[in-house]
């Protein structure tokens, strides 16, 4: 598969989603956030992953406008937070998200976590936003297979993206297969395991042999597994380096070696063990 920074994945409804985007969780300083987002757009990124929880939707809107790049060339994701879930609440939360962004549509809107007793209604509201053409793609996040099955039971249109914690220590093979069977694209959050993987011996050995950094090897592993990847950095030089992953490819045996370090280890919470 020939890939570059503009490569997209075709979603179930034909919409094209960037395979590599910028995650902006914990970018709380507004100037720093805008600088990082602008650096990303200047480098050639065309996707930003935010959420109402992150408190920086406004800066996402500002950076997009300041970049001079047409809105429709940038793929923006946001998410409905846990305390805003339910049908009417989600519709209201979405209005606020658009207001923050100062935009009239969103590319992808996700249920942030499957809040027990609410996430199916939350998804029905997301589906309504899709029918009303206020979002281009309906999706979910942190959904295990059983959550997805519960959503399928009430949905007319299946979610087209599931954003889950995924990295070489938590490779999520079963859930990835289930998503693939159901035409749901998978996005990896904490793709670098928040830095924990950067001195993993298998990764550092491959990185050294390839003259790339551990982060670049990990990002490449995601891309070669057909996983959408959204590494976060506030540092412009890292934002740029994290996208410099298109001048090499991992061999099948290197991919298998990295697959082999899975240890079912999360950096965040298990969606089934959250006290919502
Ligand atoms: N749906 C969800 O529930 C959920 C949950 C968590 C995250 N997310 C999304 O996924 C995105 C990515 O996940 P994440 O932010 O948790 O973790 P991540 O991307 O795996 O790691 C980010 C951490 O790695 C550092 N880093 C980035 N590039 C680096 C490099 N080249 N070399 C060394 N260190 C590097 C960053 O520090 P600096 O910033 O200082 O460079 C930051 O501390 C988030 O920003 C958010 O958009 C979604």
């Amino acid at each position: 598969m020939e890939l570059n920074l503009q490569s997209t994945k075709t979603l179930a409804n034909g919409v094209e989603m960037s395979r590599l985007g910028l995650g902006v969780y914990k970018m709380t300083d507004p100037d720093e956030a805008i600088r990082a987002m602008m650096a990303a757009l200047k480098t050639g990124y065309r996707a930003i992953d935010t959420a109402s929880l992150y408190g920086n939707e406004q800066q996402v809107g500002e950076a997009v406008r300041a970049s001079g790049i047409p809105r429709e060339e940038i793929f923006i994701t946001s998410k409905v937070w846990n305390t805003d879930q339910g049908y009417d609440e989600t519709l209201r939360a979405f209005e606020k998200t658009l207001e923050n962004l100062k935009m009239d549509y969103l590319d992808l809107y996700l249920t942030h976590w499957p809040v027990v007793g609410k996430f199916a209604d939350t998804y029905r509201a997301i589906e309504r936003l899709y029918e009303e053409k206020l979002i281009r793609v309906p999706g979910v996040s942190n959904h295990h297979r059983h959550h997805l099955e519960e959503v399928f039971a009430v949905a007319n249109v299946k979610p087209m993206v599931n954003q889950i914690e995924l990295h070489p220590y938590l490779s999520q093979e079963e859930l990835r297969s289930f998503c693939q069977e159901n035409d749901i694209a998978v996005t990896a959050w904490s793709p670098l395991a928040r830095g924990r993987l950067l001195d993993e011996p298998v990764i550092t050995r491959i990185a050294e042999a390839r003259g790339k950094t551990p982060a670049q090897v990990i990002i490449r592993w995601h891309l070669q597994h057909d996983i959408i990847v959204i590494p976060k950095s506030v540092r412009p030089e890292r934002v740029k380096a994290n996208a410099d992953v298109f001048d090499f490819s991992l061999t099948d045996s290197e991919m298998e070696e990295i697959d082999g370090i899975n240890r079912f280890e999360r950096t965040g919470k298990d969606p089934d063990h959250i006290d919502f």
Side-chain angles (χ1 to χ4, degrees):
M1 185 169 35
E2 193 63 34
L3 291 169
N4 59 52
L5 187 47
Q6 270 69 50
S7 294
T8 54
K9 181 168 171 67
T10 307
L11 303 178
N13 61 354
V15 167
E16 300 291 334
M17 176 171 180
S18 303
R19 289 180 178 271
L20 176 57
L22 180 72
V24 300
Y25 183 39
K26 294 198 174 155
M27 286 195 195
T28 44
D29 177 88
D31 293 336
E32 195 179 53
I34 290 182
R35 244 193 329 273
M37 294 174 201
M38 295 283 286
L41 294 170
K42 193 161 168 238
T43 302
Y45 285 72
R46 289 295 177 268
I48 299 179
D49 181 89
T50 185
S52 61
L53 174 77
Y54 306 168
N56 56 22
E57 289 173 322
Q58 271 175 299
Q59 285 75 47
V60 172
E62 277 179 46
V64 168
R65 282 185 292 282
S67 72
I69 299 163
R71 162 70 186 94
E72 60 278 11
E73 288 179 20
I74 303 175
F75 192 98
I76 298 172
T77 301
S78 194
K79 317 181 188 86
V80 51
W81 185 238
N82 301 344
T83 47
D84 291 327
Q85 290 197 29
Y87 190 85
D88 292 336
E89 294 87 340
T90 298
L91 297 178
R92 277 199 294 276
F94 178 75
E95 266 180 42
K96 182 78 184 120
T97 281
L98 280 192
E99 248 172 64
N100 289 340
L101 290 162
K102 293 201 176 63
M103 291 179 180
D104 53 10
Y105 74 94
L106 186 67
D107 294 282
L108 171 62
Y109 199 40
L110 308 175
T111 309
H112 206 141
W113 289 88
V115 175
V116 176
K118 292 198 172 163
F119 68 91
D121 283 341
T122 300
Y123 184 76
R124 282 181 44 251
I126 291 177
E127 197 175 45
R128 173 163 159 192
L129 297 168
Y130 178 58
E131 281 156 13
E132 291 179 351
K133 299 196 175 2
L134 290 165
I135 62 174
R136 295 173 69 220
V137 184
V140 296
S141 178
N142 296 306
H143 280 41
H144 285 319
R145 177 184 177 139
H146 72 90
H147 297 117
L148 289 169
E149 285 170 340
E150 216 175 297
V151 167
F152 296 168
V154 298
N156 296 317
V157 181
K158 281 183 185 170
M160 297 175 193
V161 173
N162 188 13
Q163 182 180 124
I164 53 176
E165 182 177 349
L166 201 175
H167 42 71
Y169 282 157
L170 181 73
S171 59
Q172 301 262 31
E173 281 183 34
E174 271 183 38
L175 186 51
R176 272 160 53 205
S177 304
F178 181 75
C179 286
Q180 195 183 11
E181 282 158 26
N182 286 282
D183 215 357
I184 299 172
V186 170
T187 300
W189 68 252
S190 290
L192 306 173
R194 294 190 174 143
R196 277 191 215 174
L197 271 161
L198 301 178
D199 37 9
E200 156 64 45
V202 168
I203 306 277
T204 52
R205 181 169 38 76
I206 294 173
E208 248 167 62
R210 292 320 197 96
K212 302 300 283 185
T213 66
Q216 288 164 337
V217 167
I218 299 163
I219 292 166
R220 186 75 204 184
W221 173 86
H222 286 282
L223 292 170
Q224 287 185 216
H225 268 314
D226 196 28
I227 296 162
I228 294 164
V229 63
I230 48 170
K232 172 264 175 184
S233 178
V234 281
R235 306 190 201 190
E237 68 282 5
R238 283 184 178 169
V239 168
K240 206 166 164 207
N242 288 347
D244 183 13
V245 294
F246 300 105
D247 61 351
F248 77 114
S249 58
L250 298 168
T251 62
D252 290 348
S253 75
E254 287 169 330
M255 288 292 287
E256 278 164 27
E257 259 193 282
I258 301 175
D259 291 343
I261 64 177
N262 177 44
R263 49 194 204 200
F264 303 93
E265 182 180 294
R266 292 178 184 274
T267 65
K269 293 193 168 140
D270 182 328
D272 272 338
H273 298 108
I274 294 195
D275 187 8
F276 286 111

